[in-house]
Amino acid sequence: MKRLVSVILLLCLASLASAQVETVVTRKKALLGVTNPQIQGTRILVGDDSNVSVTDVVLLEVKSDYKFQRVKALQNGNRIDPEKLADSVYLFAGTGRYLVEVTVFDPERGIDDAEVKFEIGKPLPPGPEPKPEPEPDPEPKPDIDVPNDYGLGLLTIQLAPSDTANAAKFAAAYQNGAGKLFGVGGQLRDISSIVADINTVIAGRQCADLAKCEQWGRWKLQLDAAIKAEQAKRGSFSRDDWYKALTEVATALEAVR
């Protein structure tokens, strides 16, 4: 039975390592207020009652052969639902800064995610350059003693923003996931479903400002890369390895101030 569990975990880990997602951002112009449009050569004819205006839009295409996709977006720090034009193609409209998180999932091959940032809207006309204000000396982060056997604790302390509310929420997700590897609370789960649950919690974060949400996104991408690097270094992760790694992240998140 132990050998069977080890084989299943190895398959799950191989799936996680093989997942890939590619995104393509295309900028377009959109006509608004158009009635009865007709294309004649290089012209678009519209009805007399049209009140035409032109706006900038962005199309985001997700290229992946995985079965499921999830796209979550922030516009100027606020959660929005992009318009889905077709399978894997999403439209974004409205002036502002966008942070888009794309997650793909396949039951057989695992999960992967990507982060996309772009802006919509014309920049303000150039004016006199303001005198730069002296930047305050950054406050050094305290020397916090956290577990770092897998290289994840120190990374978390260094990269996580000062956002205790989200840090506590994410810490609980990693700690609960670690427990489910051994059936704590009567729930025995495989690593693929545990990682998917953690990613859902992090993707659904609400932040006080856009900068913190962006910093959490950078932390997550580098954390996932560090986990994959540690897997390659060790050859693979056993169930005990996954438990220790998830607990190490949880402990570091609990220390975020």
Side-chain angles (χ1 to χ4, degrees):
M1 180 64 182
K2 290 183 178 179
R3 184 176 180 181
L4 177 59
V5 171
S6 298
V7 171
I8 293 174
L9 285 173
L10 286 173
L11 290 175
C12 291
L13 297 179
S15 298
L16 286 170
S18 65
Q20 292 184 358
V21 56
E22 178 185 354
T23 58
V24 178
V25 172
T26 306
R27 297 185 178 274
K28 296 284 187 179
K29 298 285 187 182
L31 296 179
L32 302 179
V34 171
T35 63
N36 302 320
Q38 298 177 6
I39 298 177
Q40 297 291 337
T42 60
R43 295 179 175 84
I44 300 177
L45 307 182
V46 300
D48 277 344
D49 56 343
S50 296
N51 185 16
V52 180
S53 62
V54 180
T55 185
D56 295 318
V57 298
V58 163
L59 301 182
L60 175 65
E61 181 181 2
V62 181
K63 292 187 175 182
S64 174
D65 57 354
Y66 285 64
K67 293 183 179 180
F68 306 104
Q69 296 177 6
R70 182 177 63 239
V71 173
K72 292 193 175 184
L74 294 175
Q75 178 186 11
N76 297 325
N78 299 314
R79 181 72 61 190
I80 62 167
D81 294 320
E83 181 181 351
K84 189 171 184 179
L85 300 184
D87 286 344
S88 305
V89 180
Y90 302 84
L91 182 142
F92 296 84
T95 302
R97 299 169 62 193
Y98 290 80
L99 172 66
V100 185
E101 293 178 347
V102 179
T103 302
V104 295
F105 172 70
D106 188 289
E108 297 179 355
R109 288 176 287 183
I111 62 172
D112 203 358
D113 50 27
E115 183 180 271
V116 185
K117 291 189 288 187
F118 54 85
E119 293 187 15
I120 297 179
K122 295 180 180 179
L124 295 175
E129 294 186 1
K131 294 181 179 180
E133 297 182 1
E135 296 184 0
D137 293 332
E139 294 184 5
K141 290 197 174 183
D143 186 13
I144 301 175
D145 185 19
V146 295
N148 197 50
D149 293 339
Y150 291 79
L152 309 177
L154 185 59
L155 181 148
T156 295
I157 288 296
Q158 291 176 338
L159 298 184
S162 179
D163 182 2
T164 54
N166 275 319
K169 185 186 301 182
F170 302 161
Y174 277 94
Q175 194 61 66
N176 290 339
K180 289 175 183 176
L181 283 168
F182 290 91
V184 173
Q187 297 185 47
L188 180 62
R189 304 278 294 279
D190 61 62
I191 189 59
S192 294
S193 63
I194 289 171
V195 171
D197 288 345
I198 291 172
N199 288 345
T200 298
V201 172
I202 295 175
R205 64 188 178 274
Q206 298 291 329
C207 306
D209 56 67
L210 179 60
K212 287 186 178 180
C213 265
E214 291 179 341
Q215 192 170 344
W216 278 122
R218 291 190 293 271
W219 163 78
K220 183 62 165 60
L221 288 174
Q222 294 193 41
L223 180 75
D224 290 347
I227 290 175
K228 291 179 181 179
E230 191 67 17
Q231 285 180 265
K233 176 182 175 182
R234 295 173 182 255
S236 65
F237 269 17
S238 65
R239 181 166 54 171
D240 285 341
D241 285 324
W242 271 112
Y243 178 85
K244 292 174 183 177
L246 296 179
T247 301
E248 185 171 299
V249 176
T251 303
L253 286 169
E254 290 170 351
V256 169
R257 297 291 181 266

